[in-house]
Amino acid sequence: MQSSDLKNLKIAVVGAGYGGAAAAKALSLLGADVGVYEQATTIREVGAGIGLRPATLDRFGQWGIFDAIAKVSSPSDYFEILTATGEPLMKEEWPAAGERKQTRLIHRGDFIDALLGVLPQDMVHLGHRLRTVQDKGGSAVLAFENGATVEADLVVGADGIKSVVRQRLFSDKGPVFSGEHAYRAVVPVDDTHGMVTDDNLRMYIGRGTKVYLLPLRHRGQVSFDITALCADSTWNPRVTKDDLLRTVEGFDPRLVDITRGLDMSTVNIRAVYDIDPVDTWHSDSVVLVGDAAHSMLHHQGQGANSAIEDAGALADALRAADSPREALAHYQAARKPVTDTLQAVSRQGWTEDAIDDVFPGQRPAGQQPAGQAPETSASGTAGTSAAAAAGE
């Protein structure tokens, strides 16, 4: 689209999470008039740490916000997957994007604060819970529970796994329970009993449980995450310290000690859900991004990264296309095959015995069957699909 057309474009973003904030930044850089509408009255991101991949950081560089992210994150060179008792299964550098080779590890709260911090203060409107959305062809109308209505040339649905935009226009299928719980906490590095000595992510797997240690050196802390099998599908289940200790039975005694030392009032406890792939992400004037479009399980650590990539791809498509409608089609064509694959791979509830099925050829050379060499991914980098475990 011509620069003058982009400057006349009014865009309403529903949701001020990762995808919404990133979309707002990317689209505002086109010169468009962007407003963000968030249901919460205050924005507070709970949970623990995530990994921002080189491709994501490359986007931040393009948008001029890399330094803001770097101030509240730590660089990581590689990730490692080990057995429950610490024997190595695989170790790999993060897949590079151009000259960027490191992943940056960041607390979820710091990340959303940094993203929102680079937006004009009057761009984000809190206390706007979406009730309905109507696509009128050349524009779309949002109606909120507080009585406000907004009409925009383009509506971006970035309202998460329970997206109202998706339910009203694209798919009425609800979230799908994974059969797992995620228990997440942030602990001082001194409380990890010497297990964290660098800035690299490690994951320990065994008996249906995965334990992540994700250093947040800039905070002097570590994100400690347990993902464990559980049949309770309650969104916010009630779990005791003894329940957590049972999930790590047989693990490295130091991991058990970290678990035993947790203050349960600080542990974020969630049942783990995703959604089935959505056939169509856009209408004439409405489009989905992030979890609203393709919420996925955290086993590949790609939820937040995918949302950032969506935002960049949407801005690219608007810049290159002749009209918003054409741009939305190009955006979906570029992103949906990628996220369909990530959703499918993330649903593979792999175990130590099945690691070669999920990450083919990625075991250390000494542990691979004779004559087996690392496979090359479609991008030409051995085991890029194994850039896995930044627990989200």
Side-chain angles (χ1 to χ4, degrees):
M1 296 175 64
Q2 297 295 319
S3 176
S4 58
D5 294 329
L6 290 170
K7 289 181 179 179
N8 289 325
L9 198 64
K10 182 177 180 179
I11 300 176
V13 179
V14 183
Y18 307 141
K25 182 61 180 178
L27 297 173
S28 65
L29 289 173
L30 299 178
D33 177 10
V34 180
V36 182
Y37 300 88
E38 165 61 37
Q39 66 179 1
T41 55
T42 58
I43 297 177
R44 175 177 171 267
E45 183 65 32
V46 298
I50 57 176
L52 302 176
R53 306 299 175 78
T56 300
L57 299 174
D58 191 53
R59 281 291 185 187
F60 293 153
Q62 295 171 24
W63 300 342
I65 65 173
F66 175 83
D67 289 345
I69 301 297
K71 288 178 181 177
V72 290
S73 61
S74 299
S76 171
D77 295 317
Y78 64 85
F79 66 96
E80 192 170 11
I81 299 180
L82 308 98
T83 68
T85 52
E87 291 76 29
L89 290 169
M90 60 168 289
K91 177 179 176 181
E92 186 170 317
E93 295 179 352
W94 301 101
E99 295 183 358
R100 297 193 188 276
K101 295 179 170 47
Q102 293 177 312
T103 280
R104 295 197 74 92
L105 307 182
I106 191 169
H107 188 280
R108 292 166 179 264
D110 293 342
F111 182 35
I112 195 63
D113 286 348
L115 281 178
L116 292 175
V118 298
L119 300 179
Q121 192 169 15
D122 60 355
M123 183 181 287
V124 180
H125 308 277
L126 302 179
H128 283 66
R129 182 182 293 273
L130 185 64
R131 182 167 53 85
T132 62
V133 54
Q134 179 186 7
D135 190 327
K136 299 172 63 178
S139 65
V141 178
L142 301 171
F144 299 95
E145 290 186 0
N146 63 5
T149 59
V150 173
E151 185 165 359
D153 302 305
L154 173 62
V155 165
V156 179
D159 49 341
I161 189 171
K162 297 181 181 180
S163 169
V164 174
V165 178
R166 183 183 71 243
Q167 292 169 3
R168 293 285 189 267
L169 295 181
F170 303 109
S171 173
D172 60 2
K173 293 190 293 185
V176 179
F177 178 51
S178 68
E180 293 180 317
H181 283 181
Y183 313 120
R184 297 171 171 137
V186 175
V187 300
V189 68
D190 291 343
D191 291 350
T192 60
H193 307 284
M195 296 197 77
V196 178
T197 58
D198 58 25
D199 294 319
N200 298 305
L201 171 71
R202 288 177 176 84
M203 181 175 67
Y204 301 77
I205 60 173
R207 297 188 313 103
T209 295
K210 308 171 188 71
V211 179
Y212 303 82
L213 287 174
L214 186 149
L216 300 168
R217 179 171 52 87
H218 56 288
R219 280 172 158 249
Q221 296 175 322
V222 177
S223 178
F224 181 70
D225 299 11
I226 301 171
T227 300
L229 297 174
C230 188
D232 181 4
S233 62
T234 308
W235 277 93
N236 300 307
R238 299 176 69 89
V239 174
T240 68
K241 175 74 70 64
D242 287 342
D243 294 329
L244 262 64
L245 286 169
R246 279 191 287 272
T247 69
V248 295
E249 287 179 2
F251 276 70
D252 186 309
R254 294 171 296 175
L255 295 172
V256 177
D257 286 342
I258 296 172
T259 306
R260 185 175 292 111
L262 292 175
D263 176 354
M264 290 300 292
S265 68
T266 68
V267 179
N268 181 260
I269 300 170
R270 293 288 186 271
V272 181
Y273 281 80
D274 68 356
I275 62 173
D276 291 327
V278 178
D279 291 337
T280 302
W281 291 0
H282 70 91
S283 54
D284 289 340
S285 301
V286 181
V287 65
L288 301 175
V289 301
D291 281 355
H294 48 66
S295 179
M296 60 190 70
L297 302 184
H298 60 279
H299 299 150
Q300 297 294 312
Q302 287 284 14
N305 289 281
S306 293
I308 306 304
E309 286 295 300
D310 287 351
L314 179 58
D316 290 347
L318 283 167
R319 188 182 292 108
D322 292 329
S323 67
R325 183 176 182 178
E326 179 184 322
L328 301 188
H330 290 170
Y331 157 74
Q332 177 174 313
R335 292 295 299 152
K336 183 170 164 54
V338 177
T339 60
D340 281 354
T341 299
L342 284 172
Q343 282 184 292
V345 173
S346 295
R347 275 186 169 177
Q348 297 184 46
W350 47 277
T351 64
E352 178 184 333
D353 291 338
I355 193 169
D356 277 326
D357 294 331
V358 180
F359 307 123
Q362 295 308 300
R363 286 180 183 270
Q367 297 181 21
Q368 292 176 11
Q372 178 176 325
E375 296 183 5
T376 300
S377 72
S379 66
T381 303
T384 300
S385 64
E392 284 200 323

